[in-house]
Amino acid sequence: MTVPVDLQHSALRAFHKSPALSGSVRVPGDKSITHRAILLGLIADGTTTVENWLDAGDCRSSIEVARALGADIEVEPNRLVIQGTAGRLKEPLDVLNCGNSGTTTRLVLGILSARVPFACVTGDASLRRRPMGRVMDPLTQMGADIRARSGRFAPLVVQGRPLRGISYTLPVASAQVKSAILLAGLLAEAGDTTVTELRPTRNHTENMLTAFGAPLRQVSDGTSQTIVVSPGATLQGTRVVVPGDISSAAFILAAAAVVQGSVVTVQGVGLNPTRIGFLNVLSRMGANVQIANVQTIAGEPIGDVTVSSSALQGVRIDEAEIPSLIDELPILAVLAAYANGETVVSGAEELRVKETDRIRAVVEGLQAIGVDAEERPDGFLIRGQGKVKGGTVHSYNDHRIAMSFAVAGLASQDPVTVQNWDCVGISYPTFLETLRMVGADL
Ligand code: S3P
């Protein structure tokens, strides 16, 4: 694919064959949970503390947006202290810049639509290419007034209005869209809001709204899941302890799976059932995955995950499983390259509208390092040969693409060089430190 002009600046980083990895480490706090804690802290009454928050580019965007809307936020190394607005948000003085963060953008649209007289929302070049119609449609049905460039892209302009509850079935499995509607429903003027999802997506918003005292009801009938929120309640600030991010742990655990002789434990990882598809697939591929010390904190299960290297085999990953591992598909593709046999991913067209077109970026990257990989409209096919040659790949400024190919380089014959490496700061600024702690020679 031709590299867009805005991605043509470059920081190169080479990764070469690593000695066996070992040890016990922690990964930074969960990105999805940190975003939600900041945004719920913004609309809540009183103080919210967020321990083990993810200090990375995306969450810094949420902090700045929440400050512009009236939250007072003290940033400490391992704790945020947020004084909320009790739902009385400030009209921002300037454009809200969500940077690279789709989660910030979509969730905040739900809040702005109900409570802020006038706001403009934008972000970086990647964010400005991401579809916003999926949140604009349901919010507009609730009475929101949102305008967008070309009808569906940032920059967006929102004029807050009294909203009314709706019943809405999600046409795409998206936790961001679900969360935006639930937040708008909570802040609406009248009427319950009902969101139905046919495929379960991450439920951190539901868990956290409940912890902040929101009137939320959930019904599951086996095939679908419905969440109902009533308007009128003011959230109460609370203490949030953020688990380690399974999406970050995935890179470390994948490195342990492919570097021969490795045994690595990641402690304190979030194991919410809506997020652990990666671990299930890793086991199906034949990796040795052990989970220990599981406990539940504020509705979120947390535990220690140990992975040791072993021979891997190709697997099928179908639509039903995609939401539980959506962000882990790039690293699973790298594991598939190290496996023997075919791996087929289908029903994953959502990957095309992430930070970059991840189907394309993964397939082109794999081909560039000598892997037999084929693009499909809704996924990819990889013919794994148990080994990878090496070469130079582009990250397309996508943090998860960059880290996936870094892991590829830890066991390849020749080094893997990743262009535009700096984007890892979006979700995992200390990624290289963690790798060094388990013995990677970087
Ligand atoms: C997220 C939900 C997912 C995921 C994204 C974070 C969230 O996106 O890919 O990285 O925090 O709600 P969608 O809900 O759009 O699938």
Side-chain angles (χ1 to χ4, degrees):
M1 118 174 96
T2 319
V3 179
V5 175
D6 58 283
L7 296 186
Q8 284 175 1
H9 53 93
S10 170
L12 293 179
R13 176 99 217 177
F15 295 87
H16 55 82
K17 225 185 189 55
S18 169
L21 305 174
S22 67
S24 215
V25 287
R26 289 186 176 270
V27 294
D30 187 273
K31 182 154 84 70
S32 292
I33 295 178
T34 302
H35 281 306
R36 285 157 174 78
I38 295 165
L39 295 175
L40 294 197
L42 159 71
I43 58 177
D45 188 15
T47 308
T48 293
T49 55
V50 192
E51 288 164 42
N52 196 39
W53 68 286
L54 170 66
D55 187 357
D58 263 12
C59 299
R60 289 272 173 176
S61 295
S62 277
I63 289 175
E64 288 316 315
V65 165
R67 280 179 170 155
L69 294 171
D72 179 40
I73 306 185
E74 243 177 80
V75 175
E76 297 172 4
N78 200 32
R79 196 171 76 130
L80 296 174
V81 182
I82 306 172
Q83 304 301 337
T85 59
R88 291 181 293 275
L89 299 165
K90 238 173 61 184
E91 188 177 52
L93 295 174
D94 201 351
V95 173
L96 298 173
N97 185 355
C98 298
N100 194 244
S101 177
T103 308
T104 310
T105 312
R106 296 194 176 110
L107 269 59
V108 88
L109 283 175
I111 297 174
L112 297 173
S113 298
R115 290 292 163 101
V116 176
F118 179 86
C120 300
V121 180
T122 194
D124 69 7
S126 153
L127 191 105
R128 283 182 271 116
R129 286 191 283 268
R130 298 185 67 182
M132 294 297 153
R134 54 180 60 196
V135 265
M136 292 171 65
D137 290 345
L139 293 175
T140 305
Q141 285 180 33
M142 297 176 83
D145 179 353
I146 309 174
R147 314 286 165 90
R149 178 176 59 85
S150 301
R152 58 186 198 285
F153 297 110
L156 301 132
V157 172
V158 187
Q159 288 192 274
R161 290 204 180 155
L163 303 185
R164 55 188 178 275
I166 53 164
S167 284
Y168 193 77
T169 301
L170 292 174
V172 279
S174 167
Q176 295 178 357
V177 176
K178 172 176 66 174
S179 303
I181 303 169
L182 291 176
L183 291 173
L186 177 77
L187 301 174
E189 195 82 350
D192 286 353
T193 290
T194 304
V195 183
T196 300
E197 53 180 6
L198 306 173
R199 299 246 182 257
T201 63
R202 64 193 68 194
N203 61 357
H204 307 302
T205 303
E206 295 91 305
N207 290 344
M208 207 181 286
L209 277 172
T210 305
F212 275 73
L216 200 84
R217 300 182 297 288
Q218 301 189 59
V219 197
S220 176
D221 72 357
T223 51
S224 68
Q225 141 103 350
T226 296
I227 309 125
V228 186
V229 67
S230 305
T234 302
L235 301 185
Q236 294 305 315
T238 189
R239 171 176 177 236
V240 179
V241 180
V242 182
D245 197 328
I246 178 105
S247 298
S248 298
F251 298 109
I252 307 302
L253 298 171
V258 298
V259 175
Q260 257 190 13
S262 300
V263 190
V264 172
T265 300
V266 182
Q267 296 177 311
V269 184
L271 295 172
N272 182 311
T274 63
R275 294 282 300 280
I276 55 169
F278 170 78
L279 298 179
N280 297 334
V281 172
L282 195 56
S283 299
R284 281 212 307 276
M285 294 180 100
N288 221 324
V289 182
Q290 311 279 345
I291 296 177
N293 301 328
V294 180
Q295 48 172 322
T296 298
I297 301 179
E300 296 286 347
I302 300 177
D304 302 341
V305 184
T306 303
V307 169
S308 47
S309 64
S310 55
L312 302 177
Q313 75 220 16
V315 283
R316 291 191 69 90
I317 306 175
D318 299 329
E319 191 184 351
E321 208 169 7
I322 298 296
S324 70
L325 45 72
I326 183 75
D327 292 338
E328 286 66 73
L329 284 164
I331 187 61
L332 283 168
V334 167
L335 290 171
Y338 277 101
N340 281 297
E342 278 189 8
T343 290
V344 182
V345 171
S346 60
E349 53 278 338
E350 272 297 293
L351 284 184
R352 296 214 180 263
V353 292
K354 293 297 177 189
E355 284 81 332
T356 190
D357 176 344
R358 286 184 175 162
I359 293 179
R360 202 156 254 200
V362 157
V363 170
E364 291 199 353
L366 287 176
Q367 288 169 347
I369 58 173
V371 178
D372 184 352
E374 236 174 67
E375 193 175 329
R376 299 254 172 103
D378 64 339
F380 41 78
L381 178 140
I382 295 161
R383 294 184 190 87
Q385 308 228 311
K387 59 182 192 304
V388 167
K389 178 149 188 353
T392 297
V393 301
H394 204 292
S395 71
Y396 291 94
N397 244 7
D398 181 323
H399 51 130
R400 298 199 202 282
I401 299 293
M403 288 185 278
S404 298
F405 284 105
V407 171
L410 298 181
S412 53
Q413 288 160 355
D414 303 329
V416 172
T417 299
V418 181
Q419 292 180 318
N420 269 35
W421 172 252
D422 296 351
C423 57
V424 296
I426 285 297
S427 68
Y428 198 167
T430 53
F431 174 65
L432 296 179
E433 279 167 45
T434 316
L435 280 180
R436 281 190 197 106
M437 282 168 73
V438 292
D441 166 27
L442 300 168

